[in-house]
Amino acid sequence: VSSVDVPDETAVGIIGAGPAGLVLAHLLKARGIDCVVLELHDREYVEHRVRAGVLEAPTVELLRTLGLADRLDRESLPHRGIQLAFEGRRHHIDFLDLVGRSITVYGQQEVVKDLIAARVDAGDPIVFEARDVEPVDVDTDKPLIRYRHDDEDRELRCQVVAGCDGFHGVSRPYVPDLTVYDRQYPFAWLGILAEAAPTQDELIYASHERGFALYSMRSPTITRLYLQVPADETLDGWSDDRIWSELETRLPTEDGFVLNTGPILDKGITEMRGFVATPMRHGNLVLAGDAAHIVPPTGAKGMNLAIADVFVLAGILDDVITRGRAERLADYTTACLRRVWRAQHFSWWMTSMLHRFGDDPFQRQLQLSELALVTGSVTAARNLAENYTGYPFDDMFGGET
Ligand code: RFL
Ligand code: PHB
C-alpha cells in the first residue's frame, strides 16, 4: 500500500505483522471490525524469517474456520506424534492414539505468507516499513499511533492499539507497573534449515550426553535441525561440518536411524528464555503474543500461544467496538494467563527433561527416569500428548475444572 491509501483512522491499530498481528487482523475482519497493520520490516523480510514449525490442532482449526488454510491443507505435514530418543533408543508418543488429536508441521513463515496474501488480495491496509512506531495517549479514549512511512510523519487514530510487535517491540514499555517473571536457561539452540529430504515423518527430541538435539522438517525436501549449545555461543565456531558431525553424534539411534545431509540454507542461534509480563493491557493498549510472553521452543508453543491470545482478544474487542462495552478490556489479561502459564510450565518441563544441565549424575538419572516414565506409562504419555497438541482455545480443559 502506498501511504496515500492508508487510512488515518480505524477501529484497531495493530503494531506488528507476525502471527499475532496478522491473525488478529483476520479475526477482526471476520467480525466486521476495521483495522490497520503497521509492520517495521518489508514484506520480503517477514515472509522469510525462519522460526516455528509446529501448529497445534486448535491453531489449524482456527485457520480453517477463517478460510486461510487452503495452502496449509495442501502442503502441510500432518504428524501422528513425536519420538523421544535417549540411551540409543527411540520411543514413539502417538498423539492420535493417546488424545485423539495431533499436530501439523507447516513453517511459521508459510502461515505468515498466507495471511499477508489474503489481506493484500482483499485490499485491506497493511503498511510495511512503518518506522518509529509509537503508541500515544493510550490511557485516554483517543489513542493514536505515530509512525513514519515513505519519509512522511503519519498518525493513525484508533479506539484500541494492539501491540503484537514481538519480544523486542516498542509496545510493552507503554504498560506501566509491569510485573515480570523471567527465567533464562543456561543454553541456547543452534538451528539450521537444510536441503535434505527427511528420512521419517515425525520429529525426534533427543536427550544425549553431549546435549539435546531436535530433528524436524519443513517439507518433503527440507529438514530443520537444532542443537543445544552454550548460552553465549556465536555461529563463529560452527562450520557446516561441525554442525553435521554433532548432529550425527546426538541423533542416530541403534535402530538404524539415518540422517540425510545437504546444503545448509539458514543458520541461527535462539536464546532459551521463559518470560511473562503482566498485565497485558493498559487503558486502550493491549499486548499479544511474544510482546507479552515468550517460552523456550522445546514445547513448540510460542506461535500457538500468540494465536490463542488474539483469539481471546478478538472476542473482547468485538464487545468493546461493536457493542460499546469498553469495560470488557479489563478481562483480557486473566483470560490469557491460565494458558500462558500452562505453556510456560510445559515448555519448562520439556526443556528440563531433555537438555544437558552440567555434569550432575544425579540430575541425569532423574531425567532418564522421567523419560522412562513418559515413554513407558500411558498416563504419563497422555499428559505430554494433551499439552503438546494444545488445549481448545475457548475452553482449555473442556469445562472440567
Ligand atoms: P513475532 O513473530 O515476533 O512478530 C512481531 C512482528 O512485529 C514486528 N515489529 C514491529 N513492527 C512495527 N514497529 C515496531 N517497532 C516493531 N517491532 C517489531 C516484527 O518485525 C514482527 O514482524 O511475534 P508474534 O506475532 O507474537 O509471534 C510469536 C512467534 O513468532 C514466536 O512465539 C514463535 O516463533 C516461537 N517459536 C515456536 N513457536 C511455536 O508455536 N512452535 C514452534 O515450533 C516454535 N519454534 C520458535 C520456534 C521461535 C524460534 N525463534 C527463532 C525465536 C523456533 C525458533 C528457533
Ligand atoms: C521446528 O520445526 O522449528 C520446531 C519443532 C519443534 C519445536 C521447536 C521448533 O519444539
Side-chain angles (χ1 to χ4, degrees), residues 20-36:
L22 291 167
V23 173
L24 178 60
H26 283 284
L27 284 164
L28 292 175
K29 177 160 174 110
R31 291 171 181 268
I33 299 170
D34 286 336
C35 65
V36 174

Side-chain angles (χ1 to χ4, degrees), residues 15-21 38-41 45-46 49-54 108 130 133 164-170 189 224 226 270 288-291 297 300-306:
I15 307 175
L38 303 175
E39 163 62 45
L40 173 63
H41 293 288
Y45 179 90
V46 298
R49 205 164 29 189
V50 181
R51 285 188 163 180
V54 175
Q108 176 171 329
V133 168
C164 303
D165 45 355
F167 190 62
H168 301 286
V170 290
W189 278 14
R224 175 83 169 141
Y226 297 95
T270 304
D290 278 19
K301 286 285 160 237
M303 169 173 46
N304 296 292
L305 202 52

Side-chain angles (χ1 to χ4, degrees), residues 96 102 109 149 246 253 265 299 315 393 400:
L96 217 51
S102 65
Q109 73 267 38
H149 185 242
E246 198 58 37
T253 36
L265 308 171
F393 283 167
E400 285 170 25

Side-chain angles (χ1 to χ4, degrees), residues 187-188 206-213 227-230 238 242-243 245-251 354-359 364 367:
F187 38 76
S207 175
H208 190 272
E209 273 65 40
R210 293 179 59 85
F212 171 75
L227 284 170
Q228 174 185 353
V229 296
W238 288 92
R242 181 170 173 213
I243 293 173
S245 133
E246 198 58 37
L247 287 164
E248 302 264 20
T249 307
R250 296 188 197 178
L251 280 171
L354 292 161
H355 289 72
R356 179 187 161 139
F357 287 78
D359 289 321
R364 181 63 186 154
Q367 283 184 326

